[in-house]
Amino acid sequence: MIILALTGSIGMGKSTTATMFADAGIPVWDADATVHKLYGEGGEGSKAIAGIVPEAVDANGVNRDSLRQSIMDDPSLLKKVEGVIHPLVGKDRAAFLSDARTQGEALVVVDIPLLFEGGGEAHVDKIVVVTAPADIQRARVLERPGMTIEAFETILSKQVPDEIKRQKADYLIDTSLGMDNARDRVSEIIADLIGANDA
């Protein structure tokens, strides 16, 4: 089974591209969706966070705004939070991969926004980087509700630059060329990988 990582900086169209892989019948594991589930009411992540930052957890689970504020007030909390959440995310990903192997899948996609930042490239077979020119990326992100230039630049500063991601990629999908082009690239990548796996 080939494990294909899908990654890309904010505003590049990664989530849309992940949906294209899913629509093509490829099982997709989503890191962000997993964290969302862990942070929900009664989630393992909510219980773990309650032991570190109790004020960030309410009846609905983890309040992300409250957690973010707590970490801004005390940056040392970030390592503690990551220390309990990352293993839970890893456990969920391992269960997904185990199930996919059991079902005889030839190819799966793991959608990991911070793949390079977290050293995740060591655990995958191939990497797709979703990209777009910087001006298009900036325009897309600044259209999001509540997004400011300062917040965008802070997010960018914590991410590996797009140029470096592109250099590390096995495949590129440039979403500025349109969604039809992106969908065609997804089909080409699937054909290339599953064809190689069968050879």
Side-chain angles (χ1 to χ4, degrees):
M1 182 177 80
I2 295 173
I3 302 172
L4 176 65
L6 179 69
T7 195
S9 300
I10 184 171
M12 294 302 197
K14 182 185 59 59
S15 297
T16 303
T17 307
T19 301
M20 292 176 185
F21 276 99
D23 289 346
I26 305 300
V28 175
W29 178 84
D30 183 330
D32 282 347
T34 299
V35 171
H36 190 76
K37 179 175 66 179
L38 289 168
Y39 278 8
E41 182 183 352
E44 285 185 78
S46 296
K47 294 170 188 171
I49 298 292
I52 303 168
V53 197
E55 63 273 18
V57 181
D58 56 31
N60 299 314
V62 175
N63 181 314
R64 287 186 176 225
D65 289 337
S66 177
L67 179 61
R68 198 174 296 118
Q69 188 59 52
S70 295
I71 290 170
M72 284 173 66
D73 294 341
D74 180 4
S76 72
L77 287 174
L78 180 60
K79 285 284 181 211
K80 294 176 185 174
V81 168
E82 289 177 344
V84 295
I85 297 302
H86 286 182
L88 294 174
V89 172
K91 183 174 145 190
D92 191 89
R93 183 173 64 247
F96 164 83
L97 294 173
S98 176
D99 288 347
R101 282 194 182 94
T102 300
Q103 290 163 21
E105 299 289 353
L107 172 67
V108 296
V109 168
V110 288
D111 177 351
I112 306 176
L114 300 178
L115 178 75
F116 299 116
E117 293 82 353
E121 68 266 35
H123 307 290
V124 301
D125 300 308
K126 297 287 182 180
I127 298 168
V128 177
V129 168
V130 183
T131 186
D135 58 331
I136 291 177
Q137 175 195 25
R138 182 184 179 91
R140 285 175 181 167
V141 175
L142 292 178
E143 282 175 2
R144 296 182 181 183
M147 181 59 69
T148 63
I149 291 172
E150 293 77 18
F152 171 52
E153 288 175 350
T154 298
I155 292 166
L156 272 191
S157 72
K158 294 176 182 174
Q159 296 186 342
V160 170
D162 180 57
E163 181 184 358
I164 293 173
K165 287 178 179 170
R166 293 200 309 268
Q167 291 169 5
K168 293 184 173 189
D170 296 291
Y171 302 98
L172 292 174
I173 297 178
D174 185 341
T175 56
S176 72
L177 301 175
M179 290 303 117
D180 287 342
N181 180 274
R183 200 169 284 107
D184 288 344
R185 281 293 291 143
V186 166
S187 297
E188 288 167 11
I189 291 165
I190 293 169
D192 185 46
L193 289 172
I194 294 182
N197 199 41
D198 290 342

